[in-house]
Amino acid sequence: MTLPATLTPIEDPLWYKDAVIYQIHIKSFFDGNNDGVGDFAGLLQKLDYIVDLGVTAIWMLPFYPSPRRDDGYDISDYRGVHPDYGTLADLREFVVAAHARGLRIITELVINHTSDQHSWFQRARRAPAGSPERDFYVWSDTDTKYAGTRIIFCDTEKSNWTWDDEAKAYYWHRFYAHQPDLNFDNPAVMEEVLSAMRFWLDLGIDGLRLDAVPYLIERDGTSNENLPETHDIIRRIRAEIDAYAPGRMLLAEANMWPEDAQVYFGQGDECHMSFHFPLMPRMYMAIAREDRFPITDIMRQTPAIPENCQWAVFLRNHDELTLEMVTSSERDYLWETYAADKRARINLGIRRRLSPLMQHDRRRIELMNGLLLSMPGTPVIYYGDEIGMGDNIYLGDRDGVRTPMQWSIDRNGGFSRADPAGLVMPPIMDPLYGYQAVNVEAQAAGQHSLLNWVRRMLEVRRRHRAFGRGTQRFLYPGNRKVLAYLREYGADNGHGETLLCVYNLSRSAQAVELDLHDFNRAVPVDVIGG
Ligand code: BGC
């Protein structure tokens, strides 16, 4: 079989292990046609910026046709581009340009649910009960089935069932009521999903984030999360991707404890990558408590994963900083510390960006980024955090962390020439974080800016494979305010390297003694300064 050019196998099938992923929102990145909404034309113009930053892959939030009541995670057509963002041709042009610059593209495969505006749902609600069309979704005559299932969007939803007057039945949804869950017990659903996946692979997409993947299957008497049948579905998706487009990657969004999250790797036959959700809040916990324990403890609980798999590590993303993977007393502590203002809280998390969480303290922002870039896994950087952008907790839902990228001091922060009133989202304008104070243009010019610091750190990371592929060994110095670990790679083939990472988690200077007797004759070299 000859594959189309976009489907030729990728040279290094483990490319995602050495990647640094930059997460962006098309709508908020750059507006190419000045209609107030970011678009693919704008993104293309900013490709050089992304390349210069030193990342190797771009993860784009959903850009598909959608009523956008969940910011695009409510998809009404799996094979298109929302007209506000451009056309399929624009997207194709962008993918080709990104590939030409050596960047890989990761998009979303949101398969747990669709929008209620999707033609499948409109068809389902009208079709007779029990018909294959109706069975694209999960229905019930009562709203008491699957009673043991938690509600994820607990601030807005009271039930996982919503009555549909047209169908005269309740439909199942793990997220907003306008996002009915697809029924993966119906083989026709699986076929449609695989076909949509091939469509994007044909377009040259290198990786797919499997949104909300633990919730695909429902079974009586269970929590309806992480069920074995859900893993069967993922293995089916993986087999298809391996056969159809070798070298492409699946990234699981499974907000679970390490022992449940690692199941999403399977025996190396499910997802290539999975977010390390429990590590994230523990990095915030460690610096708040000035104690390394939350980090060493969660990494001790993190099982070894198959050779071809990789964690994705992150500090922030487009959602709330989720505190689902901590105990309730830890959650209260983190809420008190980082979200004393209750408006900053949503569901079980905090809707703030990194810089405000660090109270604008450059040294703590660097500390957190240092952890991000040196913990085992592939780092994911959320757009705007590389310049220390702020947020707006007065906006609804999680919009406050999705405001326009701040490019310069020009109108709308250089994001768009449109009338400010017509912008998709108001830019940040407060004196500390507003675009007058925080923007790419100024930081690109400043040698010691956060932006240039991030660029330098990414350059350091690129020079050392041990960051992406190495093992991690903690040192346990007596002073618990100091976190120290070794990242080791390739010792067995004689070209090995050992990186020693040391972090002072406290706000004051600390003395520490590290036991490095294994490296008796070695001479340490500072990887940053040489
Ligand atoms: C996405 C959210 C979205 C939810 C429902 C999540 O996991 O990250 O932004 O609201 O899925 O689609």
Side-chain angles (χ1 to χ4, degrees):
M1 177 171 73
T2 347
L3 297 163
T6 51
L7 284 180
T8 43
I10 286 170
E11 267 166 47
D12 180 2
L14 299 181
W15 58 271
Y16 47 87
K17 288 203 167 200
D18 307 307
V20 176
I21 301 173
Y22 187 56
Q23 179 191 358
I24 55 154
H25 207 343
I26 309 290
K27 104 177 172 188
S28 303
F29 205 62
F30 189 62
D31 178 9
N33 64 359
N34 293 315
D35 66 350
V37 190
D39 45 37
F40 279 105
L43 182 56
L44 188 60
Q45 288 181 49
K46 294 299 182 186
L47 195 52
D48 282 345
Y49 169 77
I50 299 174
V51 172
D52 290 348
L53 187 57
V55 299
T56 66
I58 301 175
W59 156 26
M60 302 192 284
L61 291 173
F63 49 76
Y64 315 99
S66 156
R68 285 210 301 245
R69 294 175 68 195
D70 183 16
D71 211 7
Y73 281 94
D74 46 333
I75 297 174
S76 56
D77 174 4
Y78 280 112
R79 293 159 191 261
V81 168
H82 195 294
D84 281 356
Y85 305 154
T87 62
L88 259 183
D90 295 336
L91 167 60
R92 206 171 273 125
E93 186 185 352
F94 172 70
V95 172
V96 170
H99 282 168
R101 310 295 303 272
L103 289 175
R104 302 208 178 272
I105 303 294
I106 301 165
T107 58
E108 297 264 353
L109 199 59
V110 185
I111 56 173
N112 178 66
H113 47 267
T114 68
S115 159
D116 59 4
Q117 299 308 305
H118 197 291
S119 59
W120 298 342
F121 188 73
Q122 292 304 320
R123 188 180 66 182
R125 61 205 301 215
R126 289 185 195 114
S131 64
E133 291 78 15
R134 171 71 71 95
D135 281 350
F136 258 59
Y137 295 85
V138 181
W139 301 93
S140 168
D141 293 335
T142 73
D143 61 355
T144 51
K145 208 173 166 191
Y146 306 142
T149 314
R150 73 187 167 118
I151 294 170
I152 298 169
F153 285 169
C154 53
D155 280 1
T156 32
E157 300 300 326
K158 295 284 160 274
S159 167
N160 287 315
W161 291 108
T162 289
W163 175 257
D164 186 62
D165 232 2
E166 179 100 35
K168 300 273 179 277
Y170 291 94
Y171 61 88
W172 180 249
H173 54 86
R174 289 308 302 275
F175 294 93
Y176 286 122
H178 56 78
Q179 289 167 310
D181 276 30
L182 283 166
N183 174 17
F184 277 89
D185 284 323
N186 179 349
V189 168
M190 187 77 241
E191 283 316 311
E192 285 288 359
V193 163
L194 294 177
S195 158
M197 179 173 88
R198 288 191 297 266
F199 177 85
W200 293 107
L201 295 172
D202 284 344
L203 231 129
I205 300 304
D206 303 288
L208 295 160
R209 172 183 179 268
L210 293 180
D211 180 66
V213 76
Y215 319 115
L216 300 183
I217 292 275
E218 301 75 32
R219 289 291 177 266
D220 259 330
T222 72
S223 66
N224 289 315
E225 304 191 355
N226 312 318
L227 299 187
E229 294 89 337
T230 288
H231 289 285
D232 294 342
I233 301 284
I234 300 170
R235 268 192 300 278
R236 175 76 188 86
I237 294 175
R238 173 61 181 270
E240 181 74 15
I241 210 170
D242 281 352
Y244 190 74
R248 310 304 170 89
M249 179 272 284
L250 292 173
L251 165 57
E253 189 220 10
N255 187 357
M256 296 290 154
W257 292 99
E259 64 272 23
D260 290 324
Q262 57 115 15
V263 183
Y264 288 85
F265 296 121
Q267 311 293 322
D269 58 354
E270 292 194 28
C271 293
H272 306 76
M273 295 185 70
S274 183
F275 289 100
H276 202 315
F277 274 97
L279 171 61
M280 183 274 298
R282 283 171 181 78
M283 295 192 270
Y284 290 92
M285 181 70 109
I287 68 162
R289 292 215 161 130
E290 305 194 1
D291 184 353
R292 68 176 178 238
F293 179 77
I295 295 176
T296 52
D297 183 51
I298 201 69
M299 294 314 286
R300 192 181 43 76
Q301 293 177 49
T302 300
I305 60 175
E307 257 309 289
N308 57 346
C309 295
Q310 178 84 329
W311 293 108
V313 189
F314 64 106
L315 298 172
R316 287 299 297 112
N317 62 20
H318 63 296
D319 287 327
E320 68 272 32
L321 188 169
T322 160
L323 302 175
E324 280 167 69
M325 290 305 119
V326 295
T327 62
S328 48
S329 66
E330 289 170 331
R331 184 177 311 128
D332 287 341
Y333 176 80
L334 288 164
W335 261 336
E336 277 313 313
T337 309
Y338 290 110
D341 182 338
K342 297 230 168 32
R343 257 181 309 246
R345 304 179 189 181
I346 184 172
N347 300 321
L348 291 185
I350 302 173
R351 47 177 168 184
R352 302 226 72 161
R353 270 184 178 269
L354 178 63
S355 181
L357 286 165
M358 296 297 108
Q359 293 177 317
H360 209 246
D361 179 345
R362 170 74 181 267
R363 297 184 60 188
R364 297 210 302 160
I365 295 171
E366 290 184 4
L367 173 61
M368 289 296 274
N369 274 300
L371 292 173
L372 172 73
L373 296 180
S374 67
M375 291 303 283
T378 291
V380 183
I381 298 172
Y382 186 50
Y383 86 92
D385 282 351
E386 75 276 23
I387 55 172
M389 256 173 68
D391 49 42
N392 179 352
I393 55 175
Y394 294 88
L395 292 177
D397 203 341
R398 292 145 291 173
D399 284 350
V401 299
R402 302 171 182 179
T403 59
M405 181 69 177
Q406 296 172 192
W407 295 103
S408 68
I409 58 164
D410 295 344
R411 184 203 316 199
N412 305 322
F415 159 72
S416 170
R417 298 292 305 155
D419 179 343
L423 291 188
V424 67
M425 197 91 77
I428 304 290
M429 286 186 287
D430 65 72
L432 203 53
Y433 297 104
Y435 59 76
Q436 306 272 358
V438 176
N439 66 70
V440 169
E441 188 179 75
Q443 293 199 18
Q447 221 189 327
H448 302 285
S449 65
L450 179 60
L451 174 62
N452 279 320
W453 180 87
V454 171
R455 285 175 175 161
R456 283 196 297 278
M457 289 309 121
L458 291 181
E459 205 178 297
V460 169
R461 188 180 157 104
R462 267 200 309 281
R463 289 201 295 263
H464 302 281
R465 271 204 145 181
F467 284 121
R469 304 208 183 203
T471 56
Q472 181 183 43
R473 176 151 58 108
F474 285 103
L475 303 173
Y476 292 94
N479 184 346
R480 285 187 25 167
K481 293 187 193 314
V482 174
L483 171 70
Y485 47 86
L486 300 163
R487 301 294 316 277
E488 294 172 290
Y489 181 67
D492 33 348
N493 65 23
H495 302 291
E497 60 177 351
T498 300
L499 304 170
L500 170 63
C501 309
V502 187
Y503 298 93
N504 174 2
L505 301 172
S506 81
R507 62 203 74 196
S508 53
Q510 295 296 317
V512 70
E513 196 178 318
L514 300 174
D515 178 359
L516 294 168
H517 73 264
D518 282 356
F519 304 94
N520 232 344
R521 280 183 299 276
V523 179
V525 178
D526 174 1
V527 292
I528 300 167

